[in-house]
Amino acid sequence: MEVMSNHISELKVYDPFLLAGALIVCVTGAWITMRLVTRVAQTHGRQRLGWYCLAGMAGASFVWCTHFAAMLAYHCHAEVHLDPLRTGLSLLVMLGAMPLAVMLAVRLYGRGGCMLGGAVLGLGIASMHYIGMAAYRLDAPVAWNGLLVAVSVLIGVGFSATALMLALRPVNPRREIETTLVLVGAVAGLHFTGMEAMRVVAMPQHMMTAHDNGQFLALGLSVIGGTMLMLIAGIASFVIDGSVRQESYEELHRMAMSDGLTGLPNRISFNERLQNEVSRANRDGEQFAVIGIDLNKFKEINDTRGHAAGDIVLTTLAERFSALLADGEFVARLGGDEFIAIHRTSDSVELHGFVERIQQALNQPIPIEDYVVTSGGSIGVAVYPVDASDSETLISRADMAMYRAKTDPHHTIWYYESTLDQNMRERRALGEDLKTAMANGQLSLFYQVQTVVATGEISGYEALLRWEHPERGAIAPPEILQLADESGLIIKLGEWVLQTACEAAAGWDDNIRVAVNMSAAQFLQPRFVVAVQENLARSGLAADRLVIEITEETVQRNPDRALAMASSLQALGVRLALDEFGGAHSVLHMLRVFPFSKLKIDRSLMQQADTDPVVAQLVRSILLMGHALRISVLAQGIETRGQFSIASAEGCDEGQGYLIGHPAQSAQAADMTGLGPAAGSIRAVSSPVFSPAT
């Protein structure tokens, strides 16, 4: 009874301003710290190290500030002194515990890593709290409740582990709130449970010596203000990084959805737009058209002018397409020289107008440095839901119409119709039959004899492909090759023909050759020479007994590669033949069909005519051919009297070159030939038009 009369049990009293400030810091700090922990888990390398430091600093500062401000908010009827060494030590404990806990949770991941990290964080908060309380020196007896101390530690560990687990899960608004509240529970729960575990026994003589609340209020608010500045810096870093990430994501999304060369939407973007248009059409009862676009001369431009010129063609057309688009219209590049468009309308007149605008864009000349090209294109149109009831079928039918336009010499625009579908199905079925025929050995080679005309002696045989279809009968070789090309079987078919012909010829007499026709795709592929070597070695056929036949079209498709292949085959000893010379696609056919009135021999031939007998004979052949076709022949580049003599002796009709006259600004000045009328039968004509070729 006497003890009770001399000791007064102290009631917990807190300054509301400091307590409110501590709560604001705690909630704000918990939110930003957990968001920073999430960001740590999402990054790697040096960037992760930076987020580690920021998360550790923000977490340690808000936990310590919450404890310190709440501790200063506590009023007791006793003299209070703050030990600066222990106060600083409590902050250092948090600066070590927070980053370590985050590292364990992120690096180990899973429940085990979060539990271990939670234990480190909870024990760190507890150590910080009780070291800080030891720095809060009271001039009065203090009693501790061991059970509540243990409970406070368990609260800190359990809530910390839960907060880390939540922070490493996918982020959403609800998850952010849960994570923040749990970490607030860990910090505030441990602090106030720990405070409740402390009992100050105020002696009567200490009742009048309470600490200076005003001084502690100022100190606490200063600490809160400084910590809030640090947290604001953390928030700013997080927001800036989020903004940069969003901008980067948008840029990556734009790149993923756009064609790198032209900037038009790509195939992914088109598929997304197409699905939206289908949904809209189904919902609103509207129609839209898909327009397939394929350039007609793009490969020719690439081969003759180079890939840089091809890129200019693509980018120019992309700019034109973009400029002609109106509301409800869309153009994308699928790859190569393929474009595709969408036009939303139920008015056929509007659709025809849009297609005509595309055609005009394709047919307009494209300037490239000092020359001009015109690409042109084939256009196929299919309308949803008239021509198809789903997106895949719609695209397929637009492709059918485009393919029909590509094969039609009179129409470059084709609208889908049901007969196209039937024709395409038959074509595809025949292509499948060809695959089956190749797999089952239903193809065969026939051999047509070649003889020496003068003696009748057999010189060789040409291998000819044959296919007897079980239902359609004999399929013509050109159609077989076209089907193989469309089905992607042309290389495999060519290899089979080459192998079969070599094996057959190996059993013939040693002086008999075998001639094999090769498609452009087969001849121009990089490993064609290797394939020839392998077949010769496998069959035992001598290289000079194999003749590879190619057409002018093959050479024109890629002259440089064709020449390289021809040279490599010649080095092996394989013979090379030019097939279909004078045929429908040859220069001779063009000379015979076109109404040319003059044939000009190139300067490069005339420059060698007086030094190379082979070239001189070639010039004579050209003159004979021109006269046979009743076309006047002009020799360009005549610069020596020897060249002039050859042209004159062979009956060349006209001549042009420095020997005859130099380019001048007027016809009178250019007419300065010193050859005289008796120099030969050639009629010397000086041209007033400047031409570097002369």
Side-chain angles (χ1 to χ4, degrees):
M1 293 298 293
E2 183 179 354
V3 173
M4 290 298 295
S5 63
N6 292 330
H7 297 74
I8 301 173
S9 181
E10 180 256 354
L11 298 174
K12 297 292 187 295
V13 179
Y14 294 92
D15 187 307
F17 294 104
L18 282 178
L19 203 59
L23 181 60
I24 293 173
V25 169
C26 188
V27 174
T28 305
W31 176 78
I32 187 59
T33 299
M34 290 295 96
R35 298 299 291 122
L36 293 173
V37 170
T38 302
R39 188 56 50 83
V40 169
Q42 295 172 345
T43 54
H44 301 279
R46 293 184 179 180
Q47 192 177 14
R48 170 176 280 189
L49 181 61
W51 288 113
Y52 266 133
C53 295
L54 196 56
M57 291 291 293
S61 62
F62 102 82
V63 172
W64 183 82
C65 178
T66 299
H67 159 77
F68 192 73
M71 184 180 67
L72 294 179
Y74 167 55
H75 292 178
C76 63
H77 297 286
E79 189 69 29
V80 177
H81 302 281
L82 290 177
D83 184 340
L85 183 61
R86 292 181 180 178
T87 301
L89 180 60
S90 66
L91 176 59
L92 290 176
V93 168
M94 272 317 301
L95 287 173
M98 179 61 75
L100 178 60
V102 173
M103 184 186 69
L104 291 171
V106 172
R107 297 293 285 271
L108 298 180
Y109 204 71
R111 184 181 297 274
C114 291
M115 292 297 293
L116 185 58
V120 171
L121 181 56
L123 292 174
I125 297 173
S127 299
M128 178 275 305
H129 173 80
Y130 289 110
I131 292 174
M133 291 307 301
Y136 191 78
R137 301 174 64 179
L138 297 170
D139 190 15
V142 176
W144 291 92
N145 186 322
L147 178 60
L148 288 179
V149 170
V151 170
S152 70
V153 175
L154 292 176
I155 290 174
V157 171
F159 278 65
S160 296
T162 305
L164 290 174
M165 282 191 286
L166 291 174
L168 298 183
R169 293 180 181 177
V171 180
N172 56 57
R174 179 179 175 180
R175 187 80 67 213
E176 287 188 31
I177 295 173
E178 292 174 347
T179 307
T180 301
L181 292 178
V182 172
L183 187 58
V184 168
V187 177
L190 187 148
H191 176 85
F192 287 105
T193 304
M195 291 297 291
E196 191 63 30
M198 182 185 73
R199 284 289 182 269
V200 178
V201 182
M203 305 299 291
Q205 62 270 27
H206 295 147
M207 294 296 291
M208 301 303 296
T209 59
H211 66 265
D212 185 351
N213 295 330
Q215 183 181 2
F216 276 25
L217 175 62
L219 180 59
L221 292 177
S222 298
V223 171
I224 290 172
T227 303
M228 285 301 297
L229 288 176
M230 180 176 289
L231 294 178
I232 290 171
I235 294 172
S237 300
F238 183 81
V239 170
I240 292 171
D241 181 72
S243 176
V244 171
R245 280 171 170 256
Q246 180 64 27
E247 291 174 0
S248 299
Y249 171 78
E250 291 174 356
E251 178 64 16
L252 289 172
H253 183 267
R254 186 194 65 77
M255 293 172 62
M257 302 295 281
S258 300
D259 175 59
L261 175 64
T262 64
L264 287 177
N266 60 11
R267 186 183 297 273
I268 299 173
S269 184
F270 167 75
N271 290 335
E272 184 178 291
R273 176 64 178 261
L274 180 61
Q275 295 306 319
N276 292 337
E277 292 295 335
V278 169
S279 300
R280 181 190 180 102
N282 292 339
R283 183 184 69 245
D284 301 337
E286 295 182 350
Q287 295 180 3
F288 70 92
V290 166
I291 301 99
I293 308 164
D294 189 78
L295 308 188
N296 289 342
K297 299 180 181 178
F298 182 72
K299 190 175 190 318
E300 177 184 331
I301 294 170
N302 253 348
D303 291 343
T304 58
R305 300 294 185 180
H307 291 286
D311 290 346
I312 292 175
V313 170
L314 293 174
T315 53
T316 302
L317 290 176
E319 291 172 0
R320 292 176 183 176
F321 292 154
S322 299
L324 62 81
L325 293 179
D327 185 42
E329 297 171 348
F330 176 88
V331 175
R333 182 189 176 210
L334 299 184
D337 60 345
E338 292 184 68
F339 295 85
I340 196 162
I342 293 175
H343 178 77
R344 186 194 309 150
T345 182
S346 57
D347 187 342
S348 60
V349 176
E350 286 185 9
L351 175 58
H352 289 312
F354 176 67
V355 173
E356 288 174 1
R357 297 202 306 271
I358 290 177
Q359 186 182 39
Q360 290 174 3
L362 290 169
N363 292 334
Q364 289 178 10
I366 300 172
I368 303 176
E369 295 180 353
D370 58 344
Y371 56 92
V372 175
V373 299
T374 302
S375 172
S378 301
I379 300 173
V381 185
V383 179
Y384 182 91
V386 178
D387 297 328
S389 57
D390 62 85
S391 58
E392 290 185 7
T393 306
L394 184 67
I395 295 174
S396 175
R397 290 180 173 172
D399 284 342
M400 288 181 194
M402 182 181 69
Y403 179 79
R404 182 68 179 85
K406 206 166 188 67
T407 57
D408 191 325
H410 305 294
H411 300 89
T412 57
I413 301 174
W414 201 271
Y415 290 81
Y416 172 80
E417 53 189 35
S418 57
T419 55
L420 291 177
D421 209 7
Q422 179 63 26
N423 293 339
M424 187 61 69
R425 280 198 295 269
E426 292 177 359
R427 195 74 179 170
R428 287 175 178 171
L430 195 56
E432 291 299 320
D433 291 344
L434 178 59
K435 287 183 181 179
T436 303
M438 291 178 62
N440 297 337
Q442 296 173 4
L443 300 180
S444 60
L445 289 183
F446 282 37
Y447 298 92
Q448 187 171 23
V449 67
Q450 298 172 335
T451 64
V452 179
V453 174
T455 63
E457 180 185 1
I458 296 175
S459 59
Y461 294 87
E462 180 181 2
L464 302 174
L465 182 62
R466 293 292 183 266
W467 178 23
E468 190 70 24
H469 193 279
E471 297 176 0
R472 301 171 184 263
I475 306 296
E479 187 174 4
I480 299 174
L481 296 177
Q482 189 175 8
L483 284 170
D485 194 25
E486 293 172 1
S487 306
L489 301 171
I490 190 69
I491 304 298
K492 186 176 180 181
L493 178 61
E495 290 176 349
W496 177 82
V497 170
L498 182 63
Q499 178 183 347
T500 305
C502 288
E503 290 175 352
W508 303 342
D509 292 343
D510 291 343
N511 61 333
I512 305 299
R513 296 187 293 270
V514 62
V516 182
N517 293 279
M518 285 290 112
S519 67
Q522 182 86 33
F523 185 78
L524 297 176
Q525 68 162 332
R527 69 174 309 275
F528 176 67
V529 175
V530 176
V532 171
Q533 286 179 302
E534 291 175 348
N535 278 285
L536 291 174
R538 188 184 302 114
S539 62
L541 183 69
D544 63 349
R545 294 179 58 200
L546 174 63
V547 181
I548 300 296
E549 297 188 357
I550 60 172
T551 64
E552 287 181 65
E553 185 181 4
T554 298
V555 176
Q556 292 167 0
R557 181 175 294 189
N558 193 327
D560 292 338
R561 180 174 291 182
L563 179 58
M565 287 294 174
S567 301
S568 299
L569 290 172
Q570 184 185 38
L572 289 178
V574 175
R575 300 169 184 260
L576 200 65
L578 182 61
D579 196 17
E580 299 178 6
F581 185 67
H585 300 289
S586 71
V587 174
L588 285 179
H589 176 79
M590 179 179 64
L591 286 174
R592 185 169 57 85
V593 173
F594 279 73
F596 294 118
S597 60
K598 183 179 294 186
L599 183 65
K600 300 180 71 174
I601 300 176
D602 188 69
R603 178 178 182 272
S604 62
L605 287 177
M606 292 307 301
Q607 291 292 297
Q608 302 176 61
D610 58 344
T611 57
D612 190 332
V614 175
V615 175
Q617 189 61 43
L618 180 59
V619 170
R620 295 187 187 100
S621 300
I622 295 173
L623 288 166
L624 288 172
M625 179 181 63
H627 294 156
L629 294 171
R630 297 183 179 181
I631 300 175
S632 172
V633 181
L634 182 150
Q636 297 182 97
I638 297 177
E639 298 181 359
T640 67
R641 288 190 173 273
Q643 295 165 5
F644 183 87
S645 297
I646 291 175
S648 175
E650 300 300 331
C652 185
D653 297 291
E654 297 178 81
Q656 180 180 341
Y658 290 157
L659 182 67
I660 299 173
H662 287 263
Q665 290 183 337
S666 66
Q668 291 76 16
D671 190 12
M672 296 184 300
T673 177
L675 297 174
S681 62
I682 186 170
R683 298 189 300 275
V685 178
S686 298
S687 173
V689 181
F690 175 76
S691 173
T694 61

